[in-house]
Amino acid sequence: MLIVAGTGYVDPAHRDALLEGLAPALRRTRTAPGCLDYVVAADPIESGRVNIFERWESEADLNAHLSGNAQTAPSTAHVRSVEVVRYDISGSSPLPS
């Protein structure tokens, strides 16, 4: 399993429009083979920040998404910066209640 997580910063006045513009791509990606979770969401504390979180079954699934995404990526004209990190996960277990 792979986790991709990070943050992006955008002019606060354009954050809602960015998220609306990303919605169709988010919907498509969530139905992609190997996609377990995919979200870009407004940060509840910083008005110009978005949080990015993805989970993928395999490297091949993530690579297929990345290679196909270049042609359909929405405009990111108002994005100031993005920092995303990929984590290779060897196992997982639920947190105790």
Side-chain angles (χ1 to χ4, degrees):
M1 179 186 303
L2 300 172
I3 292 177
V4 176
T7 56
Y9 289 90
V10 62
D11 180 341
H14 297 283
R15 185 176 72 177
D16 289 345
L18 172 71
L19 295 173
E20 286 176 29
L22 288 171
L26 293 171
R27 286 187 191 94
R28 275 192 312 276
T29 300
R30 285 185 177 185
T31 64
C35 181
L36 301 172
D37 199 0
Y38 193 85
V39 65
V40 178
D43 186 88
I45 297 174
E46 294 181 55
S47 62
R49 177 177 163 160
V50 295
N51 298 308
I52 303 154
F53 181 80
E54 307 173 27
R55 282 189 313 133
W56 295 91
E57 288 182 3
S58 72
E59 179 93 26
D61 293 323
L62 174 60
N63 288 339
H65 161 69
L66 293 173
S67 65
N69 196 34
Q71 297 142 353
T72 60
S75 172
T76 56
H78 296 287
V79 175
R80 294 178 180 167
S81 66
V82 176
E83 182 178 324
V84 179
V85 177
R86 187 190 102 184
Y87 301 89
D88 296 306
I89 308 302
S90 62
S92 65
S93 61
L95 291 173
S97 304

